[in-house]
Amino acid sequence: MDYQSALDYLYNKTLVFQHVGVQAYKPGLETALELAKLFGNPHKSLNTIHIAGTNGKGSTAHLLAAILQSEGYHVGLYTSPHLVDFRERIRVDGKMISEEFVTEFVDTFLNSDYTGRKPSFFELTTIMAFTYFKKSNVDFAVIETGLGGRLDSTNIIEPIASIITNISLDHTALLGDSLAQIAKEKAGIIKPSAPVVIGETTTETEPVFRKRISEVNTSGIFAEQNNEIFDARRINDRWVIDTYSFGQIVDELSGECQLKNANTVLVAVKVLNELGLCISTRSVTNGFANVCELTGLMGRWMKIGDRPRTFCDTGHNIGGFEYISRQLARESYKTLRIVIGFVSDKDVAHIMPLLPKDAAYYFTQAGVKRAMDATTLLSIARQNGIDGVAFPTVEQAYRQAKADSCCSDFIYIGGSTFVVADLISAIQKK
């Protein structure tokens, strides 16, 4: 078997959420446990930090990994989805998993005597990550949940600490249609003897977290009630943040939502220090300032052009667009141009009111099966008082937005992780 054959199996012989949506969601830990046993239970050898949440968990995971790397620790990082290359999901010290290991892992699985339940794409790649981290002898592994928490296949781990960033309405068909129900699912990662940091709460979600913390008899730290940030301003597309415990830091991630993520990470670092990790202020500063270079993070209010100023962002639900709409309102421009597309199972009707009415819109669709047809999206937009033009590909929509722009315009590309993925892929090929 070669690498391309291994990818073909992962993409085409297992259920992939990014391709088919809810059909690929397999709640429960049974298959993950069976797979883990097949590969020698690698998760039991790892010191893990588990991260869940509706928004911000990817940024939080990358920031924490960058800080730990800056301290000199050997760090595994498991996140999803990837944007361009499958191997983005599994990294050690910022370097992607090798093609050889992916090939070897899939080949071993296919030639094993495994008789358990057929794994999904995410279940198989989760155990791949744990196996790779064990082989790489990492000091710590930062693990992002895929969807939810309680029944997510990553939840077979026994972490040294957990983080839940926030709760917003997303994947309601799978996780529940209220903030409290979704919080209960996310709270499933909270384990005995592992302190948890809760990034943001509401009157609906805080009691859910406090109940779970009490049930498992662990400590819970609510980041908003233990604020580490006392001042922040944006300079040259960076947040300059003054903190109580770590001095002044410059955050490479400049999105509006990143102040919340930064505070959550800073509180988490204090918790990890209390556990004996000894993370220095210098490492915190370096991790924030160089998170993209250290971890390979892409797509978080990512600047891709100056004249006109052009940014893309993977925010894709109501909570994400509440931040994005505020971000766009802060920008100055002659004309705002928005290249946007969604997946077909997204609650677009509730996102539309958050979009600025005074922009030029280029509706598009990513090259995945779940993508909402661009003409369908245009029709929904018109029902909400927004007009524009539909384009069959992200690259075509982006090219037209650039062609229509003058140097003082502003272009935003987003709506779906897969729209950003297609954009970055097109730019890299060029």
Side-chain angles (χ1 to χ4, degrees), residues 73-351:
Y73 291 117
H74 199 31
V75 183
L77 176 62
Y78 179 53
T79 58
S80 61
H82 64 274
L83 292 178
V84 179
D85 189 326
F86 164 79
R87 297 179 303 134
E88 295 168 28
R89 294 168 176 260
I90 305 169
R91 295 178 183 267
V92 171
D93 297 339
K95 296 181 177 62
M96 294 188 291
I97 186 173
S98 68
E99 293 184 359
E100 291 75 17
F101 190 90
V102 174
T103 305
E104 177 187 314
F105 180 90
V106 174
D107 194 49
T108 299
F109 170 70
L110 290 176
N111 289 291
S112 71
D113 57 0
Y114 178 76
T115 57
R117 300 165 182 83
K118 183 176 180 180
S120 68
F121 172 90
F122 189 75
E123 287 168 333
L124 202 55
T125 54
T126 295
I127 305 307
M128 182 191 298
F130 294 163
T131 305
Y132 187 63
F133 295 156
K134 179 182 177 181
K135 180 182 178 182
S136 301
N137 197 29
V138 299
D139 298 309
F140 299 98
V142 180
I143 309 296
E144 178 193 5
T145 60
L147 197 157
R150 181 175 66 93
L151 300 176
D152 187 80
S153 58
T154 63
N155 205 30
I156 65 174
I157 62 177
E158 295 292 335
I160 63 169
S162 302
I163 300 172
I164 300 176
T165 55
N166 57 47
I167 304 297
S168 181
L169 292 175
D170 198 18
H171 300 298
T172 53
L174 303 175
L175 303 179
D177 57 8
S178 72
L179 294 179
Q181 287 177 311
I182 296 172
K184 185 175 181 180
E185 290 300 311
K186 308 283 187 185
I189 73 165
I190 302 174
K191 304 284 178 60
S193 303
V196 60
V197 175
I198 310 294
E200 301 174 57
T201 59
T202 66
T203 53
E204 290 181 69
T205 62
E206 184 172 341
V208 176
F209 293 133
R210 290 195 181 278
K211 181 181 179 183
R212 175 64 179 175
I213 289 166
S214 176
E215 286 173 346
V216 302
N217 192 30
T218 192
S219 60
I221 299 90
F222 291 80
E224 288 178 315
Q225 298 165 24
N226 295 270
N227 202 2
E228 272 297 317
I229 297 173
F230 66 84
D231 191 30
R233 56 250 177 234
R234 192 182 278 106
I235 300 175
N236 297 326
D237 296 317
R238 297 286 187 272
W239 279 114
V240 178
I241 303 171
D242 295 315
T243 75
Y244 290 107
S245 302
F246 303 97
Q248 187 177 92
I249 60 177
V250 177
D251 191 350
E252 187 176 13
L253 306 181
S254 64
E256 191 75 17
C257 63
Q258 295 299 342
L259 281 183
K260 294 283 189 180
N261 294 333
N263 188 59
T264 301
V265 170
L266 293 171
V267 173
V269 168
K270 292 184 72 174
V271 169
L272 293 173
N273 274 336
E274 290 170 3
L275 292 175
L277 270 69
C278 300
I279 302 168
S280 68
T281 295
R282 181 177 180 179
S283 295
V284 172
T285 302
N286 190 66
F288 270 95
N290 302 287
V291 57
C292 295
E293 179 183 352
L294 288 168
T295 66
L297 178 63
M298 297 186 292
R300 272 60 169 193
W301 202 250
M302 179 178 172
K303 188 176 185 179
I304 57 174
D306 269 311
R307 294 170 64 85
R309 279 166 54 76
T310 305
F311 287 78
C312 64
D313 192 86
T314 55
H316 57 273
N317 53 36
I318 293 172
F321 271 93
E322 287 173 347
Y323 281 110
I324 289 169
S325 63
R326 291 202 293 269
Q327 183 90 38
L328 293 173
R330 293 172 66 106
E331 301 294 340
S332 2
Y333 45 77
K334 181 178 180 182
T335 301
L336 172 61
R337 302 184 185 278
I338 294 180
V339 177
I340 196 164
F342 293 93
V343 291
S344 57
D345 53 2
K346 191 60 60 182
D347 186 7
V348 176
H350 285 87
I351 292 175

Side-chain angles (χ1 to χ4, degrees), residues 360-429:
Y361 280 87
Y362 305 75
F363 296 102
T364 188
Q365 60 197 71
V368 295
K369 293 178 183 177
R370 286 175 62 207
M372 179 181 291
D373 181 79
T375 55
T376 301
L377 178 57
L378 173 57
S379 177
I380 295 172
R382 283 174 172 164
Q383 293 169 23
N384 287 268
I386 297 174
D387 205 354
V389 182
F391 295 85
T393 70
V394 174
E395 185 174 10
Q396 285 177 271
Y398 171 56
R399 282 182 178 176
Q400 190 60 55
K402 281 189 69 176
D404 293 344
S405 295
C406 67
C407 61
S408 57
D409 287 354
F410 188 97
I411 303 175
Y412 155 75
I413 307 100
S416 163
T417 300
F418 309 115
V419 167
V420 174
D422 281 8
L423 173 71
I424 293 174
S425 181
I427 290 172
Q428 288 184 352
K429 286 178 184 177

